[in-house]
């Protein structure tokens, strides 16, 4: 039996951080003006969830959130390391923020997240961005109150990217969630897969699962607070529980959470094909609150490229999974990730990818040109294809998916779908459709009707379709799981 609590930060250390929060709060209460904070987040949903925790700490320290960075006393930039484009954007924004500090001695600028967990990035910040006050990596997020207090108390610039590379879990720190009806719920952290193109295991550490009772307690709070669309997060949710040694896998957890009463939908991401199973699909099909939506990245349709990527499955195994999922859930809404131009990819390899796209009939694809990440095995692999060849393949992939998308969207014409209203329409497409929402499968719908409010579940008859969205008329209100 594994020690199921060894990966958690001891409660005493969490209590120390709560004390630091209180100290900063008392400090801010003595100041003549309200103190403000501004957060900018790059990257994935897990980064969004991390920012919610940083925002919760700052709120409890007496800061109020602002969307105007020029007004802020604390600026926090939560970074992403998955693609080179994100890094360039971060450094572009940092120039703007650090320039502000020339006229604002009271401003504290913080950088955190995956990008700064890399030593070469930290060194760049030290040398080229001297006005950045605090840099902390993914393993040190829970110590943010302590780091901020030290800097406010006159400490020199703080760079903290240490911590257990295996990763730890911090429970009991405050959270400030966004407004509306959507919420993130992390069930695990880190990754053990080491895909050869991916930096995530190096910056987020090994897989570690939260205790099921902690996850369930958080879900119950979210439902009580009125959140209606809740997404379970993990780099590979299908690996949940392997490190706990309690005989509970992700399907078991999903069934346990589904039993929580209330009017809400439960989604999850991301699933890794090597760990997905019929048991999971059966649990989804039998659930009351579980959305029939599956994001199952396949990355490439070439077995040779999949092997070089260290993905752990074949094209044939992946397609077999899709067939099983669609058997259990004929109404399944399916999405995936694809990398075009991985080192060594040939035209034949790319044709294999197009074949999976056509067989999979995806509702949505997230497509990327390969981006070299320093420190990953793929960065050292030879590559004969030109950038022009890769771009041509990328364009052909988009064209193929656009044809599929149109057919998939048109198939919803005149159908009645359950939609959760989650915002107002911008009115650019048609002023008749005043609200927007998501179907059980996560499809965007622009809705017309009377007396509509954010958080309403409504049945909508689809009257028009497009590549980007469905359009429909609300015919009745009411939740049905």
């Amino acid at each position: 039996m594994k020690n199921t609590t060894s990966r958690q930060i001891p409660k005493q250390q969490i209590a120390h951080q709560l004390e630091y929060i209180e100290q900063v709060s008392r400090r801010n209460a003595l100041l003549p003006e309200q103190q403000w904070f501004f957060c900018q987040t790059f990257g994935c949903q897990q980064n969004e969830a991390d920012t919610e925790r940083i925002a919760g700490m700052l709120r409890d320290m007496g800061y109020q959130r602002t969307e105007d960075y020029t007004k802020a006393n604390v600026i926090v930039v939560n970074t992403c390391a998955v693609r080179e484009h994100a890094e360039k954007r971060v450094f572009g924004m940092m120039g703007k923020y650090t320039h502000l500090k020339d006229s604002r001695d009271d401003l504290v600028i913080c950088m955190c997240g995956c990008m700064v967990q890399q030593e070469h990035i930290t060194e760049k910040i030290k040398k080229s961005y001297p006005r950045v006050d605090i840099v902390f990596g993914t393993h040190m997020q829970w110590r943010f109150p302590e780091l901020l207090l030290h800097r406010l108390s006159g400490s020199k610039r703080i760079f903290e990217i240490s911590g257990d590379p295996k990763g730890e879990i911090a429970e009991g720190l405050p959270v400030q969630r966004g407004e509306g009806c959507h919420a993130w719920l992390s069930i695990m952290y880190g990754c053990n897969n080491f895909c050869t193109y991916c930096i995530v295991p190096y910056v987020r550490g090994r897989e570690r699962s939260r205790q099921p009772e902690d996850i369930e307690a958080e879900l119950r709070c979210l439902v009580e607070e009125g959140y209606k669309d809740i997404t379970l997060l993990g780099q590979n949710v299908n690996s949940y529980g392997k490190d706990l040694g309690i005989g509970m896998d992700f399907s078991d957890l999903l069934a346990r959470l589904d039993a929580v009463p209330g009017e809400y939908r439960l989604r999850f991401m991301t699933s890794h094909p090597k760990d997905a199973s019929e048991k999971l699909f059966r649990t989804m099909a039998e659930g009351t609150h579980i959305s029939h939506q599956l994001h199952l990245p396949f990355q490439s349709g070439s077995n040779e490229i999949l092997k070089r990527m260290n993905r752990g499955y074949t094209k044939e195994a992946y397609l077999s999974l899709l067939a099983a999922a669609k058997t259990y859930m004929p109404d399944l809404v399916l999405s995936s990730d694809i990398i075009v131009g991985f080192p060594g990819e040939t035209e034949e390899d790319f044709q294999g990818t197009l074949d999976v796209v056509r067989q999979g009939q995806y509702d949505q694809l997230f497509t990327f040109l390969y981006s070299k990440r320093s420190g990953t095995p793929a960065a050292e692999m030879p590559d004969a294809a030109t950038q022009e060849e890769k771009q041509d393949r990328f364009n052909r992939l988009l064209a193929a998916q656009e044809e599929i998308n149109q057919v998939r969207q048109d198939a919803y014409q005149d159908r009645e779908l359950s939609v959760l209203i989650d915002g107002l329409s911008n009115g650019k497409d048609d002023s008749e459709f005043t609200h927007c929402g998501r179907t059980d499968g996560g499809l965007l719908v622009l809705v017309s009707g009377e007396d509509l409010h954010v958080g309403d579940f409504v049945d909508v008859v689809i009257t028009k379709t497009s590549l980007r969205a469905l359009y429909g008329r609300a015919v009745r209100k009411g939740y049905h799981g």
Side-chain angles (χ1 to χ4, degrees):
M1 177 76 66
K2 295 181 181 179
N3 183 345
T4 60
T5 60
S6 61
R7 305 298 283 276
Q8 287 197 10
I9 304 296
K11 291 182 179 180
Q12 184 179 14
Q13 293 188 38
I14 298 297
H16 289 326
Q17 297 305 314
L18 296 176
E19 291 173 7
Y20 294 130
I21 288 174
E22 179 60 29
Q23 289 182 52
V24 177
S25 177
R26 290 198 298 268
R27 181 190 185 99
N28 284 336
L30 298 175
L31 297 175
E33 297 180 346
Q34 172 66 52
Q35 299 294 288
W36 302 85
F37 76 92
F38 171 83
C39 285
Q40 183 173 21
T41 308
F42 294 85
C44 67
Q45 293 85 354
Q46 186 60 65
N47 274 19
E48 295 282 357
D50 289 346
T51 295
E52 290 181 343
R53 280 158 175 74
I54 292 169
M57 298 179 206
L58 285 164
R59 177 201 59 201
D60 286 10
M61 285 187 270
Y63 294 93
Q64 189 168 326
R65 190 163 194 164
T66 177
E67 298 305 316
D68 179 3
Y69 75 92
T70 65
K71 184 179 179 180
N73 304 95
V74 176
I75 291 176
V76 179
V77 180
N78 192 358
T79 64
C80 173
V82 171
R83 296 183 60 77
E84 183 180 20
H85 178 65
E87 289 189 5
K88 289 180 178 179
R89 286 185 61 208
V90 167
F91 282 124
M93 297 302 298
M94 293 313 300
K96 182 170 64 173
Y97 299 147
T98 56
H99 180 71
L100 178 64
K101 193 163 182 175
D102 291 339
S103 58
R104 290 278 308 280
D105 291 338
D106 65 325
L107 177 60
V108 177
I109 300 177
C110 310
M111 292 181 70
C112 63
C114 296
M115 192 175 108
V116 304
Q117 189 66 44
Q118 304 167 96
E119 288 188 14
H120 71 280
I121 295 293
T122 303
E123 289 303 313
K124 180 176 180 177
I125 297 169
K126 284 181 180 179
K127 295 176 181 178
S128 303
Y129 296 85
R131 291 176 180 80
V132 174
D133 298 275
I134 303 173
V135 175
F136 58 99
T138 56
H139 305 314
M140 288 290 107
Q141 177 186 301
W142 65 278
R143 285 184 53 199
F144 176 56
E146 177 185 356
L147 303 180
L148 181 58
L149 177 60
H150 286 339
R151 183 59 173 163
L152 291 172
S153 301
S155 171
K156 294 180 179 180
R157 301 172 72 198
I158 298 171
F159 290 82
E160 185 56 86
I161 62 169
S162 61
D164 186 352
K166 294 181 180 179
E168 297 172 301
I169 294 175
E171 300 283 2
L173 290 169
V175 180
Q176 183 181 49
R177 301 186 188 276
E179 296 181 356
C181 51
H182 296 277
W184 311 117
L185 175 50
S186 298
I187 66 168
M188 62 187 300
Y189 305 95
C191 184
N192 290 353
N193 290 311
F194 289 93
C195 300
T196 57
Y197 54 81
C198 187
I199 197 69
V200 169
Y202 305 96
V203 296
R204 282 202 171 269
R206 303 295 78 76
E207 289 176 354
R208 62 268 190 206
S209 305
R210 295 180 66 194
Q211 296 294 320
E213 57 269 24
D214 292 331
I215 299 170
E216 181 183 336
E218 187 170 346
L219 175 63
R220 289 182 179 275
C221 287
L222 290 172
V223 174
E224 290 173 4
E225 291 168 9
Y227 290 98
K228 304 291 183 69
D229 196 305
I230 301 164
T231 303
L232 309 179
L233 296 179
Q235 299 298 330
N236 175 16
V237 292
N238 299 135
S239 289
Y240 176 82
K242 290 183 177 180
D243 58 318
L244 294 180
I246 58 175
M248 174 176 285
D249 64 14
F250 178 59
S251 299
D252 299 327
L253 175 70
L254 203 54
R256 173 172 176 164
L257 299 179
D258 182 52
V260 172
E263 295 185 0
Y264 65 94
R265 288 174 176 159
L266 207 55
R267 309 182 193 277
F268 58 86
M269 63 185 316
T270 295
S271 287
H272 196 297
K274 74 178 180 61
D275 297 310
S277 66
E278 282 199 37
K279 179 182 178 183
L280 170 62
F281 306 147
R282 184 170 59 250
T283 300
M284 294 173 65
E286 295 174 352
T288 299
H289 302 95
I290 307 168
S291 293
H292 289 185
Q293 177 183 12
L294 182 63
H295 184 69
L296 195 64
F298 72 88
Q299 305 297 6
S300 173
S302 161
N303 287 339
E304 177 59 33
I305 295 298
L306 289 172
K307 185 176 180 181
R308 292 184 195 176
M309 289 178 167
N310 191 36
R311 291 291 288 172
Y313 55 85
T314 64
K315 170 185 175 181
E316 294 74 20
Y318 179 87
L319 290 173
S320 178
L321 276 176
L322 290 194
K326 292 179 179 180
T327 297
Y328 281 100
M329 295 169 286
D331 61 341
L332 181 68
V333 173
L334 187 63
S335 59
S336 191
D337 295 344
I338 299 175
I339 296 175
V340 175
F342 185 80
E345 181 189 74
T346 65
E347 178 62 25
E348 183 180 359
D349 295 325
F350 176 68
Q351 288 299 324
T353 295
L354 286 180
D355 184 51
V356 174
V357 169
R358 291 177 179 126
Q359 290 195 56
Q361 292 292 296
Y362 297 90
D363 295 272
Q364 188 174 18
L365 287 181
F366 298 89
T367 53
F368 308 93
L369 278 169
Y370 170 71
S371 177
K372 184 182 292 188
R373 299 285 75 200
S374 177
T376 62
E380 308 301 322
M381 292 181 181
D383 189 11
T386 66
Q387 196 62 32
E388 290 74 19
E389 288 173 323
K390 294 177 181 181
Q391 186 64 55
D392 176 65
R393 291 171 190 166
F394 188 79
N395 293 341
R396 283 186 281 150
L397 173 63
L398 294 183
Q401 177 57 26
E402 188 169 297
E403 290 181 10
I404 294 169
N405 247 64
Q406 190 66 67
V407 173
R408 297 284 297 174
Q409 293 285 91
D410 288 348
Y412 288 102
Q413 181 70 35
D414 299 326
R415 287 181 57 185
E416 186 173 301
L417 303 174
S418 175
V419 174
L420 171 62
I421 301 296
D422 61 8
L424 298 176
S425 169
N426 58 25
K428 291 180 180 179
D429 297 310
D430 193 323
S431 59
E432 172 191 354
F433 301 95
T434 57
H435 290 71
C436 58
R438 296 281 173 176
T439 67
D440 174 75
L443 299 173
L444 174 64
V445 183
L446 302 183
V447 184
S448 66
E450 298 180 356
D451 193 32
L452 299 176
H453 304 92
V454 172
D456 286 346
F457 284 99
V458 295
D459 293 327
V460 175
V461 173
I462 302 303
T463 58
K464 185 170 67 171
T465 68
S466 74
L467 276 175
R468 188 183 70 87
L470 303 173
Y471 300 77
R473 181 184 71 257
V475 293
R476 72 183 67 85
K477 289 186 179 182
Y479 169 82
H480 34 88

